[in-house]
Amino acid sequence: MAEAHAVAAGARTSGSFPTPRSRRRYAIVLGILIALSSIFALGLLAWDNPMPFGSAGFWRIARLRVTNVTVMAVVAIAQAVATVSFQTVTNNRIITPSIMGFESLYRVVQTGTVYLFGVAGLVAIQGVWQFGLQVLIMVGLAMALYGWLLSGRYANLHIMLLVGIIIGGGLGAISTFMQRLLTPSEFDVLAARLFGNISHADASYLPLAIPLCLSAAVLLWLRARRLNLLALGPDASRSLGLDHRRELHVVLFLVAVLMATSTALVGPMTFLGFLVATLAYQLADTYDHGLIFPVTVLTAFTILTAAYFVMKNIFYAQGMVSILIELVGGTVFLIVILRKGRL
């Protein structure tokens, strides 16, 4: 028995994977996720296409569907990378960036526009520059909050999270108040926009959304080793030579860019980030963020494409993926909370 323990101990390493078996498991999981995401993406392009496969009409319809698949890829990258990075710097695998009020801010902007200018005003604010302005406002408010709460002698990450919850609740109350003053027709139009809906994404936004999303995600992936140190906590990361305060601000800024881009593009998806991050931690089984990020992104894209396929072809509710994701994600959230017994 002692020799068996010695052999087992000798087979373990201090690298990203403790054993060769875990390395093989990661490769298998990555391959399965790539296969599933490819199958669902191709299914969205080809399923229920009325034209014969390979014909000019078939590819013309498939090209029209590429926009939705591209939007889902952008949202998957933004939500997955932002959530994992945010949970790393906060040292908590339950809270997500949505808790900081991004989605509440989106609801206030949409509700306030209808309340002040009517449905015509909501249509008028569509456009690339309006999309960029909305992203800029969200990032600016987030960084103002970070700069205030993470500087000075009262700097405290947990206080920042509590203030974010309060601000989110306050913005939600303002939105609810304005919604009660709308006419039924205005509220009906607004309600459709307050659901996360892939079909709401305007293709004209993608030339701005794609560079923003990819730039922030790549920068976070390149900082994977620093995120590994941040996961050890402030004291350990400082002792290893990392400027914890500066790195915290950089990561939170990139997270704000990703979340603002995703929310402004398709609307709120509260539990998507939590769902994919929770699954990715279990599937990847490693601490290395350079390896966790690909699994998280592929998991998010697989879930989005699968939910879109189900909602479109079974329930005929094209684009309303948030309904299914919120149901599954909320259930997983409750299970995790009940198992852990704490936040």
Side-chain angles (χ1 to χ4, degrees), residues 110-296:
Q110 298 293 320
T111 305
T113 302
V114 176
Y115 178 76
L116 295 174
F117 306 108
V119 176
L122 186 64
V123 176
I125 66 169
Q126 305 303 312
V128 177
W129 74 268
Q130 293 94 334
F131 172 78
L133 179 62
Q134 190 171 357
V135 172
L136 185 63
I137 291 173
M138 289 183 181
V139 174
L141 290 176
M143 293 314 298
L145 176 66
Y146 298 155
W148 170 47
L149 293 174
L150 295 178
S151 61
R153 59 177 181 172
Y154 296 110
N156 190 309
L157 188 63
H158 296 92
I159 293 178
M160 182 193 73
L161 297 175
L162 291 174
V163 172
I165 294 173
I166 295 171
I167 291 177
L171 293 176
I174 294 173
S175 300
T176 302
F177 174 75
M178 288 189 291
Q179 289 169 16
R180 290 185 176 276
L181 300 179
L182 298 177
T183 64
S185 59
E186 290 175 336
F187 180 79
D188 186 52
V189 173
L190 174 65
R193 291 189 172 271
L194 296 183
F195 278 101
N197 194 327
I198 300 297
S199 300
H200 284 170
D202 192 328
S204 62
Y205 297 167
L206 292 177
L208 178 59
I210 291 175
L212 282 174
C213 179
L214 289 181
S215 299
V218 169
L219 287 173
L220 284 170
W221 182 73
L222 293 175
R223 308 179 87 85
R225 292 187 176 181
R226 299 185 182 185
L227 286 169
N228 295 340
L229 295 180
L230 286 174
L232 299 176
D235 295 333
S237 59
R238 291 192 194 100
S239 66
L240 293 172
L242 185 71
D243 187 342
H244 184 270
R245 177 65 59 80
R246 177 181 176 276
E247 198 62 30
L248 185 65
H249 277 280
V250 171
V251 172
L252 290 176
F253 171 74
L254 296 174
V255 167
V257 171
L258 289 171
M259 288 301 299
T261 302
S262 173
T263 305
L265 184 63
V266 300
M269 292 197 177
T270 307
F271 288 109
L272 176 62
F274 172 80
L275 177 61
V276 299
T278 301
L279 293 175
Y281 291 135
Q282 300 297 320
L283 295 173
D285 194 24
T286 178
Y287 67 86
D288 191 344
H289 286 75
L291 299 171
I292 293 175
F293 282 148
V295 173
T296 314

Side-chain angles (χ1 to χ4, degrees), residues 15-32:
S16 301
F17 300 104
T19 63
R21 180 180 179 183
S22 62
R23 183 184 299 274
R24 290 192 299 268
R25 179 178 179 272
Y26 177 85
I28 293 172
V29 167
L30 197 64
I32 292 174

Side-chain angles (χ1 to χ4, degrees), residues 91-92 94 336-343:
N91 286 311
N92 192 309
I94 293 180
V336 172
I337 289 291
L338 293 174
R339 287 184 60 187
K340 288 181 174 292
R342 61 182 176 83
L343 288 174

